[in-house]
PDB file of all heavy atoms in Angstrom:
ATOM      1  N   MET A   7       3.464  18.935   2.415  1.00 94.00           N
ATOM      2  CA  MET A   7       4.213  19.875   3.244  1.00 94.00           C
ATOM      3  C   MET A   7       5.028  20.877   2.422  1.00 94.00           C
ATOM      4  O   MET A   7       5.773  21.674   2.981  1.00 94.00           O
ATOM      5  CB  MET A   7       5.142  19.101   4.182  1.00 94.00           C
ATOM      6  CG  MET A   7       4.394  18.316   5.241  1.00 94.00           C
ATOM      7  SD  MET A   7       5.477  17.521   6.456  1.00 94.00           S
ATOM      8  CE  MET A   7       6.070  16.121   5.514  1.00 94.00           C
ATOM      9  N   GLY A   8       4.903  20.818   1.100  1.00 90.00           N
ATOM     10  CA  GLY A   8       5.612  21.764   0.259  1.00 90.00           C
ATOM     11  C   GLY A   8       7.075  21.445   0.072  1.00 90.00           C
ATOM     12  O   GLY A   8       7.849  22.290  -0.379  1.00 90.00           O
ATOM     13  N   LEU A   9       7.476  20.213   0.399  1.00 90.00           N
ATOM     14  CA  LEU A   9       8.871  19.812   0.236  1.00 90.00           C
ATOM     15  C   LEU A   9       9.141  19.247  -1.149  1.00 90.00           C
ATOM     16  O   LEU A   9      10.302  19.158  -1.566  1.00 90.00           O
ATOM     17  CB  LEU A   9       9.243  18.765   1.296  1.00 90.00           C
ATOM     18  CG  LEU A   9       9.093  19.217   2.756  1.00 90.00           C
ATOM     19  CD1 LEU A   9       9.394  18.058   3.700  1.00 90.00           C
ATOM     20  CD2 LEU A   9      10.002  20.394   3.045  1.00 90.00           C
ATOM     21  N   LEU A  10       8.083  18.843  -1.855  1.00 89.00           N
ATOM     22  CA  LEU A  10       8.206  18.282  -3.198  1.00 89.00           C
ATOM     23  C   LEU A  10       7.146  18.907  -4.096  1.00 89.00           C
ATOM     24  O   LEU A  10       6.086  19.332  -3.611  1.00 89.00           O
ATOM     25  CB  LEU A  10       8.015  16.754  -3.163  1.00 89.00           C
ATOM     26  CG  LEU A  10       9.083  15.930  -2.429  1.00 89.00           C
ATOM     27  CD1 LEU A  10       8.630  14.481  -2.298  1.00 89.00           C
ATOM     28  CD2 LEU A  10      10.418  16.007  -3.165  1.00 89.00           C
ATOM     29  N   PRO A  11       7.391  18.958  -5.414  1.00 87.00           N
ATOM     30  CA  PRO A  11       6.389  19.495  -6.336  1.00 87.00           C
ATOM     31  C   PRO A  11       5.111  18.670  -6.305  1.00 87.00           C
ATOM     32  O   PRO A  11       5.131  17.472  -6.014  1.00 87.00           O
ATOM     33  CB  PRO A  11       7.079  19.389  -7.709  1.00 87.00           C
ATOM     34  CG  PRO A  11       8.530  19.279  -7.406  1.00 87.00           C
ATOM     35  CD  PRO A  11       8.639  18.576  -6.090  1.00 87.00           C
ATOM     36  N   THR A  12       4.004  19.315  -6.600  1.00 81.00           N
ATOM     37  CA  THR A  12       2.701  18.651  -6.566  1.00 81.00           C
ATOM     38  C   THR A  12       2.652  17.491  -7.540  1.00 81.00           C
ATOM     39  O   THR A  12       2.980  17.619  -8.714  1.00 81.00           O
ATOM     40  CB  THR A  12       1.579  19.647  -6.918  1.00 81.00           C
ATOM     41  OG1 THR A  12       1.652  20.746  -6.012  1.00 81.00           O
ATOM     42  CG2 THR A  12       0.216  18.986  -6.802  1.00 81.00           C
ATOM     43  N   LYS A  13       2.247  16.313  -7.035  1.00 78.00           N
ATOM     44  CA  LYS A  13       2.134  15.094  -7.824  1.00 78.00           C
ATOM     45  C   LYS A  13       0.829  14.417  -7.475  1.00 78.00           C
ATOM     46  O   LYS A  13       0.380  14.458  -6.341  1.00 78.00           O
ATOM     47  CB  LYS A  13       3.291  14.136  -7.513  1.00 78.00           C
ATOM     48  CG  LYS A  13       4.545  14.440  -8.285  1.00 78.00           C
ATOM     49  CD  LYS A  13       4.491  13.818  -9.675  1.00 78.00           C
ATOM     50  CE  LYS A  13       4.631  14.894 -10.716  1.00 78.00           C
ATOM     51  NZ  LYS A  13       3.467  15.217 -11.443  1.00 78.00           N
ATOM     52  N   GLY A  14       0.228  13.771  -8.429  1.00 78.00           N
ATOM     53  CA  GLY A  14      -1.044  13.089  -8.186  1.00 78.00           C
ATOM     54  C   GLY A  14      -0.863  11.716  -7.580  1.00 78.00           C
ATOM     55  O   GLY A  14      -1.192  10.703  -8.205  1.00 78.00           O
ATOM     56  N   LEU A  15      -0.343  11.666  -6.367  1.00 90.00           N
ATOM     57  CA  LEU A  15      -0.149  10.395  -5.664  1.00 90.00           C
ATOM     58  C   LEU A  15      -0.911  10.403  -4.351  1.00 90.00           C
ATOM     59  O   LEU A  15      -0.830  11.367  -3.583  1.00 90.00           O
ATOM     60  CB  LEU A  15       1.341  10.149  -5.393  1.00 90.00           C
ATOM     61  CG  LEU A  15       2.191   9.604  -6.542  1.00 90.00           C
ATOM     62  CD1 LEU A  15       3.645   9.514  -6.120  1.00 90.00           C
ATOM     63  CD2 LEU A  15       1.693   8.235  -6.993  1.00 90.00           C
ATOM     64  N   THR A  16      -1.629   9.336  -4.098  1.00 94.00           N
ATOM     65  CA  THR A  16      -2.402   9.230  -2.864  1.00 94.00           C
ATOM     66  C   THR A  16      -1.529   8.727  -1.716  1.00 94.00           C
ATOM     67  O   THR A  16      -0.414   8.248  -1.929  1.00 94.00           O
ATOM     68  CB  THR A  16      -3.580   8.263  -3.054  1.00 94.00           C
ATOM     69  OG1 THR A  16      -3.075   6.988  -3.499  1.00 94.00           O
ATOM     70  CG2 THR A  16      -4.560   8.799  -4.085  1.00 94.00           C
ATOM     71  N   LEU A  17      -2.052   8.831  -0.510  1.00 96.00           N
ATOM     72  CA  LEU A  17      -1.376   8.309   0.666  1.00 96.00           C
ATOM     73  C   LEU A  17      -1.768   6.840   0.817  1.00 96.00           C
ATOM     74  O   LEU A  17      -2.946   6.526   0.992  1.00 96.00           O
ATOM     75  CB  LEU A  17      -1.798   9.104   1.906  1.00 96.00           C
ATOM     76  CG  LEU A  17      -0.993   8.911   3.190  1.00 96.00           C
ATOM     77  CD1 LEU A  17       0.475   9.247   2.970  1.00 96.00           C
ATOM     78  CD2 LEU A  17      -1.575   9.773   4.305  1.00 96.00           C
ATOM     79  N   PRO A  18      -0.816   5.916   0.715  1.00 97.00           N
ATOM     80  CA  PRO A  18      -1.150   4.480   0.728  1.00 97.00           C
ATOM     81  C   PRO A  18      -1.993   4.080   1.932  1.00 97.00           C
ATOM     82  O   PRO A  18      -1.754   4.558   3.052  1.00 97.00           O
ATOM     83  CB  PRO A  18       0.233   3.801   0.778  1.00 97.00           C
ATOM     84  CG  PRO A  18       1.168   4.798   0.193  1.00 97.00           C
ATOM     85  CD  PRO A  18       0.643   6.147   0.606  1.00 97.00           C
ATOM     86  N   LEU A  19      -2.989   3.219   1.679  1.00 97.00           N
ATOM     87  CA  LEU A  19      -3.859   2.637   2.703  1.00 97.00           C
ATOM     88  C   LEU A  19      -4.834   3.630   3.312  1.00 97.00           C
ATOM     89  O   LEU A  19      -5.733   3.223   4.055  1.00 97.00           O
ATOM     90  CB  LEU A  19      -3.040   1.995   3.821  1.00 97.00           C
ATOM     91  CG  LEU A  19      -2.129   0.838   3.415  1.00 97.00           C
ATOM     92  CD1 LEU A  19      -1.142   0.511   4.533  1.00 97.00           C
ATOM     93  CD2 LEU A  19      -2.942  -0.401   3.056  1.00 97.00           C
ATOM     94  N   LEU A  20      -4.699   4.929   3.003  1.00 97.00           N
ATOM     95  CA  LEU A  20      -5.563   5.927   3.633  1.00 97.00           C
ATOM     96  C   LEU A  20      -6.454   6.675   2.654  1.00 97.00           C
ATOM     97  O   LEU A  20      -7.661   6.785   2.877  1.00 97.00           O
ATOM     98  CB  LEU A  20      -4.710   6.943   4.425  1.00 97.00           C
ATOM     99  CG  LEU A  20      -4.376   6.565   5.862  1.00 97.00           C
ATOM    100  CD1 LEU A  20      -3.214   5.578   5.893  1.00 97.00           C
ATOM    101  CD2 LEU A  20      -4.010   7.798   6.675  1.00 97.00           C
ATOM    102  N   SER A  21      -5.865   7.224   1.588  1.00 96.00           N
ATOM    103  CA  SER A  21      -6.608   8.110   0.703  1.00 96.00           C
ATOM    104  C   SER A  21      -7.744   7.406  -0.024  1.00 96.00           C
ATOM    105  O   SER A  21      -7.702   6.190  -0.260  1.00 96.00           O
ATOM    106  CB  SER A  21      -5.667   8.746  -0.320  1.00 96.00           C
ATOM    107  OG  SER A  21      -4.743   9.610   0.290  1.00 96.00           O
ATOM    108  N   PHE A  22      -8.739   8.196  -0.418  1.00 94.00           N
ATOM    109  CA  PHE A  22      -9.856   7.688  -1.201  1.00 94.00           C
ATOM    110  C   PHE A  22      -9.374   7.246  -2.570  1.00 94.00           C
ATOM    111  O   PHE A  22      -8.581   7.920  -3.213  1.00 94.00           O
ATOM    112  CB  PHE A  22     -10.912   8.788  -1.353  1.00 94.00           C
ATOM    113  CG  PHE A  22     -12.093   8.393  -2.186  1.00 94.00           C
ATOM    114  CD1 PHE A  22     -13.142   7.689  -1.624  1.00 94.00           C
ATOM    115  CD2 PHE A  22     -12.158   8.714  -3.533  1.00 94.00           C
ATOM    116  CE1 PHE A  22     -14.242   7.314  -2.382  1.00 94.00           C
ATOM    117  CE2 PHE A  22     -13.241   8.352  -4.308  1.00 94.00           C
ATOM    118  CZ  PHE A  22     -14.283   7.644  -3.721  1.00 94.00           C
ATOM    119  N   GLY A  23      -9.856   6.113  -3.032  1.00 85.00           N
ATOM    120  CA  GLY A  23      -9.479   5.594  -4.349  1.00 85.00           C
ATOM    121  C   GLY A  23      -9.564   4.083  -4.376  1.00 85.00           C
ATOM    122  O   GLY A  23      -8.815   3.414  -3.656  1.00 85.00           O
ATOM    123  N   GLY A  24     -10.469   3.557  -5.156  1.00 89.00           N
ATOM    124  CA  GLY A  24     -10.749   2.122  -5.126  1.00 89.00           C
ATOM    125  C   GLY A  24      -9.600   1.237  -5.539  1.00 89.00           C
ATOM    126  O   GLY A  24      -9.217   0.308  -4.829  1.00 89.00           O
ATOM    127  N   THR A  25      -8.990   1.501  -6.702  1.00 95.00           N
ATOM    128  CA  THR A  25      -7.920   0.642  -7.191  1.00 95.00           C
ATOM    129  C   THR A  25      -6.688   0.735  -6.299  1.00 95.00           C
ATOM    130  O   THR A  25      -6.003  -0.265  -6.065  1.00 95.00           O
ATOM    131  CB  THR A  25      -7.544   1.006  -8.633  1.00 95.00           C
ATOM    132  OG1 THR A  25      -8.713   1.167  -9.419  1.00 95.00           O
ATOM    133  CG2 THR A  25      -6.683  -0.078  -9.255  1.00 95.00           C
ATOM    134  N   GLY A  26      -6.407   1.937  -5.807  1.00 96.00           N
ATOM    135  CA  GLY A  26      -5.265   2.110  -4.921  1.00 96.00           C
ATOM    136  C   GLY A  26      -5.414   1.312  -3.640  1.00 96.00           C
ATOM    137  O   GLY A  26      -4.478   0.641  -3.189  1.00 96.00           O
ATOM    138  N   ILE A  27      -6.601   1.367  -3.034  1.00 97.00           N
ATOM    139  CA  ILE A  27      -6.869   0.607  -1.811  1.00 97.00           C
ATOM    140  C   ILE A  27      -6.764  -0.893  -2.087  1.00 97.00           C
ATOM    141  O   ILE A  27      -6.181  -1.650  -1.306  1.00 97.00           O
ATOM    142  CB  ILE A  27      -8.264   0.954  -1.249  1.00 97.00           C
ATOM    143  CG1 ILE A  27      -8.264   2.358  -0.651  1.00 97.00           C
ATOM    144  CG2 ILE A  27      -8.717  -0.069  -0.209  1.00 97.00           C
ATOM    145  CD1 ILE A  27      -7.408   2.502   0.602  1.00 97.00           C
ATOM    146  N   LEU A  28      -7.322  -1.332  -3.213  1.00 97.00           N
ATOM    147  CA  LEU A  28      -7.260  -2.744  -3.579  1.00 97.00           C
ATOM    148  C   LEU A  28      -5.808  -3.205  -3.723  1.00 97.00           C
ATOM    149  O   LEU A  28      -5.410  -4.241  -3.163  1.00 97.00           O
ATOM    150  CB  LEU A  28      -8.015  -2.969  -4.889  1.00 97.00           C
ATOM    151  CG  LEU A  28      -7.927  -4.380  -5.499  1.00 97.00           C
ATOM    152  CD1 LEU A  28      -8.560  -5.404  -4.567  1.00 97.00           C
ATOM    153  CD2 LEU A  28      -8.600  -4.416  -6.866  1.00 97.00           C
ATOM    154  N   ALA A  29      -5.003  -2.443  -4.463  1.00 97.00           N
ATOM    155  CA  ALA A  29      -3.599  -2.808  -4.683  1.00 97.00           C
ATOM    156  C   ALA A  29      -2.826  -2.823  -3.367  1.00 97.00           C
ATOM    157  O   ALA A  29      -2.022  -3.728  -3.119  1.00 97.00           O
ATOM    158  CB  ALA A  29      -2.961  -1.834  -5.669  1.00 97.00           C
ATOM    159  N   ASN A  30      -3.066  -1.834  -2.506  1.00 98.00           N
ATOM    160  CA  ASN A  30      -2.386  -1.777  -1.214  1.00 98.00           C
ATOM    161  C   ASN A  30      -2.749  -2.966  -0.332  1.00 98.00           C
ATOM    162  O   ASN A  30      -1.875  -3.557   0.322  1.00 98.00           O
ATOM    163  CB  ASN A  30      -2.738  -0.488  -0.475  1.00 98.00           C
ATOM    164  CG  ASN A  30      -2.201   0.766  -1.141  1.00 98.00           C
ATOM    165  OD1 ASN A  30      -2.701   1.857  -0.913  1.00 98.00           O
ATOM    166  ND2 ASN A  30      -1.199   0.619  -1.995  1.00 98.00           N
ATOM    167  N   CYS A  31      -4.029  -3.334  -0.300  1.00 98.00           N
ATOM    168  CA  CYS A  31      -4.478  -4.472   0.511  1.00 98.00           C
ATOM    169  C   CYS A  31      -3.855  -5.780   0.032  1.00 98.00           C
ATOM    170  O   CYS A  31      -3.412  -6.604   0.838  1.00 98.00           O
ATOM    171  CB  CYS A  31      -6.004  -4.570   0.484  1.00 98.00           C
ATOM    172  SG  CYS A  31      -6.864  -3.314   1.449  1.00 98.00           S
ATOM    173  N   VAL A  32      -3.820  -5.969  -1.280  1.00 98.00           N
ATOM    174  CA  VAL A  32      -3.213  -7.182  -1.838  1.00 98.00           C
ATOM    175  C   VAL A  32      -1.726  -7.225  -1.504  1.00 98.00           C
ATOM    176  O   VAL A  32      -1.185  -8.275  -1.114  1.00 98.00           O
ATOM    177  CB  VAL A  32      -3.431  -7.252  -3.363  1.00 98.00           C
ATOM    178  CG1 VAL A  32      -2.600  -8.374  -3.973  1.00 98.00           C
ATOM    179  CG2 VAL A  32      -4.904  -7.476  -3.673  1.00 98.00           C
ATOM    180  N   ALA A  33      -1.043  -6.086  -1.633  1.00 98.00           N
ATOM    181  CA  ALA A  33       0.390  -6.034  -1.326  1.00 98.00           C
ATOM    182  C   ALA A  33       0.654  -6.411   0.129  1.00 98.00           C
ATOM    183  O   ALA A  33       1.577  -7.188   0.426  1.00 98.00           O
ATOM    184  CB  ALA A  33       0.941  -4.640  -1.625  1.00 98.00           C
ATOM    185  N   MET A  34      -0.154  -5.890   1.046  1.00 98.00           N
ATOM    186  CA  MET A  34       0.045  -6.194   2.466  1.00 98.00           C
ATOM    187  C   MET A  34      -0.281  -7.658   2.758  1.00 98.00           C
ATOM    188  O   MET A  34       0.360  -8.295   3.602  1.00 98.00           O
ATOM    189  CB  MET A  34      -0.800  -5.269   3.320  1.00 98.00           C
ATOM    190  CG  MET A  34      -0.445  -3.792   3.195  1.00 98.00           C
ATOM    191  SD  MET A  34       1.312  -3.434   3.427  1.00 98.00           S
ATOM    192  CE  MET A  34       1.522  -3.868   5.140  1.00 98.00           C
ATOM    193  N   ALA A  35      -1.272  -8.206   2.055  1.00 98.00           N
ATOM    194  CA  ALA A  35      -1.605  -9.620   2.231  1.00 98.00           C
ATOM    195  C   ALA A  35      -0.458 -10.509   1.758  1.00 98.00           C
ATOM    196  O   ALA A  35      -0.135 -11.519   2.399  1.00 98.00           O
ATOM    197  CB  ALA A  35      -2.885  -9.953   1.458  1.00 98.00           C
ATOM    198  N   VAL A  36       0.163 -10.138   0.648  1.00 98.00           N
ATOM    199  CA  VAL A  36       1.306 -10.902   0.137  1.00 98.00           C
ATOM    200  C   VAL A  36       2.478 -10.806   1.114  1.00 98.00           C
ATOM    201  O   VAL A  36       3.179 -11.797   1.362  1.00 98.00           O
ATOM    202  CB  VAL A  36       1.708 -10.403  -1.267  1.00 98.00           C
ATOM    203  CG1 VAL A  36       3.041 -11.007  -1.706  1.00 98.00           C
ATOM    204  CG2 VAL A  36       0.617 -10.733  -2.281  1.00 98.00           C
ATOM    205  N   LEU A  37       2.681  -9.634   1.695  1.00 98.00           N
ATOM    206  CA  LEU A  37       3.743  -9.466   2.695  1.00 98.00           C
ATOM    207  C   LEU A  37       3.482 -10.359   3.911  1.00 98.00           C
ATOM    208  O   LEU A  37       4.393 -11.002   4.439  1.00 98.00           O
ATOM    209  CB  LEU A  37       3.821  -7.997   3.118  1.00 98.00           C
ATOM    210  CG  LEU A  37       5.032  -7.574   3.954  1.00 98.00           C
ATOM    211  CD1 LEU A  37       6.334  -7.862   3.215  1.00 98.00           C
ATOM    212  CD2 LEU A  37       4.925  -6.086   4.299  1.00 98.00           C
ATOM    213  N   LEU A  38       2.228 -10.421   4.336  1.00 97.00           N
ATOM    214  CA  LEU A  38       1.856 -11.314   5.434  1.00 97.00           C
ATOM    215  C   LEU A  38       2.081 -12.776   5.050  1.00 97.00           C
ATOM    216  O   LEU A  38       2.517 -13.589   5.877  1.00 97.00           O
ATOM    217  CB  LEU A  38       0.384 -11.097   5.823  1.00 97.00           C
ATOM    218  CG  LEU A  38       0.095  -9.900   6.725  1.00 97.00           C
ATOM    219  CD1 LEU A  38      -1.404  -9.609   6.736  1.00 97.00           C
ATOM    220  CD2 LEU A  38       0.588 -10.160   8.146  1.00 97.00           C
ATOM    221  N   ARG A  39       1.785 -13.114   3.803  1.00 97.00           N
ATOM    222  CA  ARG A  39       1.980 -14.486   3.335  1.00 97.00           C
ATOM    223  C   ARG A  39       3.465 -14.851   3.345  1.00 97.00           C
ATOM    224  O   ARG A  39       3.831 -15.977   3.727  1.00 97.00           O
ATOM    225  CB  ARG A  39       1.418 -14.636   1.917  1.00 97.00           C
ATOM    226  CG  ARG A  39       1.682 -16.004   1.272  1.00 97.00           C
ATOM    227  CD  ARG A  39       0.808 -17.086   1.852  1.00 97.00           C
ATOM    228  NE  ARG A  39       1.227 -18.412   1.443  1.00 97.00           N
ATOM    229  CZ  ARG A  39       0.448 -19.498   1.497  1.00 97.00           C
ATOM    230  NH1 ARG A  39      -0.781 -19.390   1.956  1.00 97.00           N
ATOM    231  NH2 ARG A  39       0.902 -20.680   1.128  1.00 97.00           N
ATOM    232  N   ILE A  40       4.314 -13.917   2.922  1.00 97.00           N
ATOM    233  CA  ILE A  40       5.756 -14.175   2.933  1.00 97.00           C
ATOM    234  C   ILE A  40       6.222 -14.464   4.360  1.00 97.00           C
ATOM    235  O   ILE A  40       6.975 -15.411   4.610  1.00 97.00           O
ATOM    236  CB  ILE A  40       6.524 -12.976   2.340  1.00 97.00           C
ATOM    237  CG1 ILE A  40       6.206 -12.836   0.840  1.00 97.00           C
ATOM    238  CG2 ILE A  40       8.034 -13.146   2.545  1.00 97.00           C
ATOM    239  CD1 ILE A  40       6.752 -11.561   0.213  1.00 97.00           C
ATOM    240  N   ASP A  41       5.750 -13.651   5.306  1.00 96.00           N
ATOM    241  CA  ASP A  41       6.117 -13.865   6.710  1.00 96.00           C
ATOM    242  C   ASP A  41       5.589 -15.206   7.208  1.00 96.00           C
ATOM    243  O   ASP A  41       6.286 -15.932   7.926  1.00 96.00           O
ATOM    244  CB  ASP A  41       5.565 -12.721   7.561  1.00 96.00           C
ATOM    245  CG  ASP A  41       5.867 -12.911   9.033  1.00 96.00           C
ATOM    246  OD1 ASP A  41       7.026 -12.734   9.425  1.00 96.00           O
ATOM    247  OD2 ASP A  41       4.939 -13.265   9.794  1.00 96.00           O
ATOM    248  N   TRP A  42       4.366 -15.553   6.827  1.00 96.00           N
ATOM    249  CA  TRP A  42       3.755 -16.829   7.243  1.00 96.00           C
ATOM    250  C   TRP A  42       4.575 -18.008   6.720  1.00 96.00           C
ATOM    251  O   TRP A  42       4.848 -18.963   7.449  1.00 96.00           O
ATOM    252  CB  TRP A  42       2.322 -16.890   6.721  1.00 96.00           C
ATOM    253  CG  TRP A  42       1.577 -18.129   7.093  1.00 96.00           C
ATOM    254  CD1 TRP A  42       1.019 -18.435   8.307  1.00 96.00           C
ATOM    255  CD2 TRP A  42       1.285 -19.240   6.233  1.00 96.00           C
ATOM    256  NE1 TRP A  42       0.405 -19.651   8.255  1.00 96.00           N
ATOM    257  CE2 TRP A  42       0.552 -20.175   7.003  1.00 96.00           C
ATOM    258  CE3 TRP A  42       1.568 -19.538   4.902  1.00 96.00           C
ATOM    259  CZ2 TRP A  42       0.103 -21.383   6.469  1.00 96.00           C
ATOM    260  CZ3 TRP A  42       1.112 -20.734   4.370  1.00 96.00           C
ATOM    261  CH2 TRP A  42       0.396 -21.637   5.155  1.00 96.00           C
ATOM    262  N   GLU A  43       4.987 -17.922   5.448  1.00 96.00           N
ATOM    263  CA  GLU A  43       5.800 -18.998   4.877  1.00 96.00           C
ATOM    264  C   GLU A  43       7.172 -19.057   5.549  1.00 96.00           C
ATOM    265  O   GLU A  43       7.715 -20.150   5.762  1.00 96.00           O
ATOM    266  CB  GLU A  43       5.941 -18.803   3.369  1.00 96.00           C
ATOM    267  CG  GLU A  43       4.641 -19.036   2.599  1.00 96.00           C
ATOM    268  CD  GLU A  43       4.850 -19.112   1.096  1.00 96.00           C
ATOM    269  OE1 GLU A  43       6.017 -19.063   0.646  1.00 96.00           O
ATOM    270  OE2 GLU A  43       3.830 -19.230   0.368  1.00 96.00           O
ATOM    271  N   ASN A  44       7.733 -17.911   5.883  1.00 94.00           N
ATOM    272  CA  ASN A  44       9.015 -17.898   6.593  1.00 94.00           C
ATOM    273  C   ASN A  44       8.919 -18.662   7.909  1.00 94.00           C
ATOM    274  O   ASN A  44       9.814 -19.443   8.256  1.00 94.00           O
ATOM    275  CB  ASN A  44       9.456 -16.458   6.881  1.00 94.00           C
ATOM    276  CG  ASN A  44       9.999 -15.756   5.656  1.00 94.00           C
ATOM    277  OD1 ASN A  44      10.406 -16.394   4.682  1.00 94.00           O
ATOM    278  ND2 ASN A  44      10.012 -14.441   5.686  1.00 94.00           N
TER     279      ASN A  44
END
């Protein structure tokens, strides 16, 4: 939106990129695990 200088960062869980998607999925799974243990 032009509010910040251009940076090479993808949109989590959405943008194309294999490692990024993998890391995001693992992070969300761990968050679900924390809730499950709670």
Side-chain angles (χ1 to χ4, degrees):
M7 292 186 283
L9 300 176
L10 294 171
T12 304
K13 276 277 121 252
L15 280 176
T16 56
L17 192 58
L19 299 167
L20 273 80
S21 294
F22 178 83
T25 314
I27 288 293
L28 174 63
N30 293 159
C31 287
V32 170
M34 297 309 294
V36 170
L37 191 58
L38 280 166
R39 175 74 191 199
I40 293 171
D41 178 73
W42 181 77
E43 290 191 4
N44 284 340

